[in-house]
Amino acid sequence: MRILVTGGAGFIGSNFLNLLVPKYPEYSFINLDKLTYAANLSNLKDIEDMSNYTFIKCDIADYNQVIDVFEKYAPDIIVHFAAESHVDRSILGPAEFIHTNIVGTFNLLEACRKSWINKNGKIFHHVSTDEVYGSLGETGLFTEETNYDPSSPYSASKASSDHLARAYFRTYGLPIKITNCSNNYGPYQFPEKLIPVMILNALEGKPLPIYGTGENVRDWLYVTDHCEAIWKVIQEGKLGETYNIGGNNEWTNIDIVHKICEVLAGEAGKSPEDFKSLITFVKDRPGHDLRYAIDSSKIQRELNWYPKETFETGLKKTIRWYLDNSNWIENIKTGEYKKWMDLNYTDRVG
Ligand code: NAD
Ligand code: TYD
């Protein structure tokens, strides 16, 4: 079986490959990635020499490049992670989000439609986000039946790609599965998202920028739990179905940042106040969704998937990973990260 993983040099894709490549020597894994600022091939150093792993540089927004890969590797399963993934960047420059997330997904679907004459055993697994559902109020949960109501160019582009995937199932019978997951955290996350931004800034004694009041709520899941859920859906989920993935783990942003300060203080032998004093409230993100929370009872009931990490164990592991991987951090800091962090917040969101 040949498994084509798109965006495998990014945060979740590299965790997925690191988990599965050593576990399944009988399958070949092809990592297709454009290597944008968010990619890092050093995430894959433990598996890069394994005989069942291949890397190929390719832009999914370019159909000719995609079809070349399909002709060369004839994949049976597509696990589609590749995307522009950061809401703030989508506010500043939405065009890349339209190219990669919408046109790129369309190109992959088209390549499958044209090359999968026999669809037996084939699967296109589309990895998506709970942000397609828009914002919740104080109560309620997103289910697989919640109407789409995206707020940012990022979530609108992901919603569009979900619709395309579903349309290809209904119209062409393409073997599609979709998962919509809550916010991930863990090793190898590019430090533009909340948790790694706070860890890196705190370690450097820089301000910890909290948008608005800090009362926005996200539902956090450790990245390996997400990867295991995706693999479970690929193996046992029904074609044409959508599965929500989340860990029943809601936190306000301000509470998370306090928690990070407390864990860091424990590790550094300092007082939590040394870190908490860095907290700085900044201008709110335009269109900032108030609350995300996932009802994952379908995947629990039908596929018996449950997260293994609690927020306490996952956050400790994550902070430990960033503390133990100063080389990875130093390499990141020489590139796009510095440009992004040097923009003041108002410039960042336009
Ligand atoms: P990421 O930004 O860390 O990685 C994205 C990867 O895609 C990078 O390696 C990048 O080089 C690659 N890529 C971007 N444009 C490409 C193109 N045109 N062609 C080929 N490769 C391209 O993202 P992530 O956080 O790992 O997210 C992966 C997927 O999971 C995305 O589809 C995202 O929408 C979804 N998701 C993410 C989260 C989260 O919390 N991070 C939660 C739910 C769903
Ligand atoms: P983020 O990690 O960008 O994920 P998403 O917007 O996809 O949920 O942001 C998570 C939450 O943290 C969101 O409510 C915005 C907030 N946030 C901050 O308050 N400060 C920051 O520096 C960042 C990056 C995010």
Side-chain angles (χ1 to χ4, degrees), residues 86-88 131 183 192-194 197-198 209-211 216 218 220 253 285 288 292:
H86 188 33
V87 173
D88 293 338
E131 302 194 24
N183 287 60
E192 62 186 357
K193 309 274 168 62
L194 179 73
V197 163
M198 296 300 157
I210 300 203
Y211 303 168
N216 301 67
R218 297 291 181 265
W220 294 89
N253 294 336
R285 168 191 281 171
H288 196 175
Y292 302 146

Side-chain angles (χ1 to χ4, degrees), residues 258-315:
H258 282 157
K259 230 176 168 38
I260 292 172
C261 292
E262 284 152 21
V263 176
L264 278 173
E267 295 283 344
K270 287 186 168 180
S271 146
E273 281 315 311
D274 294 340
F275 294 112
K276 288 184 186 173
S277 62
L278 299 170
I279 290 175
T280 309
F281 290 92
V282 299
K283 199 176 137 196
D284 207 354
R285 168 191 281 171
H288 196 175
D289 288 332
L290 176 69
R291 177 172 163 259
Y292 302 146
I294 284 266
D295 175 348
S296 44
S297 53
K298 177 175 173 182
I299 188 170
Q300 292 178 356
R301 192 179 56 247
E302 293 187 11
L303 305 184
N304 196 27
W305 171 87
Y306 292 89
K308 290 184 180 142
E309 297 291 342
T310 65
F311 196 53
E312 276 64 31
T313 59
L315 189 65

Side-chain angles (χ1 to χ4, degrees), residues 172-228:
Y172 304 112
L174 208 74
I176 302 285
K177 300 182 185 185
I178 300 176
T179 47
N180 294 83
C181 186
S182 60
N183 287 60
N184 284 212
Y185 68 102
Y188 304 116
Q189 188 167 31
F190 190 84
E192 62 186 357
K193 309 274 168 62
L194 179 73
I195 290 181
V197 163
M198 296 300 157
I199 298 171
L200 267 58
N201 280 17
L203 290 174
E204 288 193 34
K206 288 186 178 164
L208 307 179
I210 300 203
Y211 303 168
T213 61
E215 292 304 319
N216 301 67
V217 172
R218 297 291 181 265
D219 182 353
W220 294 89
L221 185 69
Y222 191 68
V223 62
T224 317
D225 282 324
H226 183 193
C227 295
E228 286 180 347

Side-chain angles (χ1 to χ4, degrees), residues 10 15 19 23 55 126 132 137 142 164 167 212 242 266 274 311 321 328:
N15 275 284
L19 185 71
K23 215 169 172 176
F55 172 73
H126 180 61
V132 297
F142 296 134
L164 281 169
T242 296
D274 294 340
F311 196 53
W321 185 86
W328 187 90

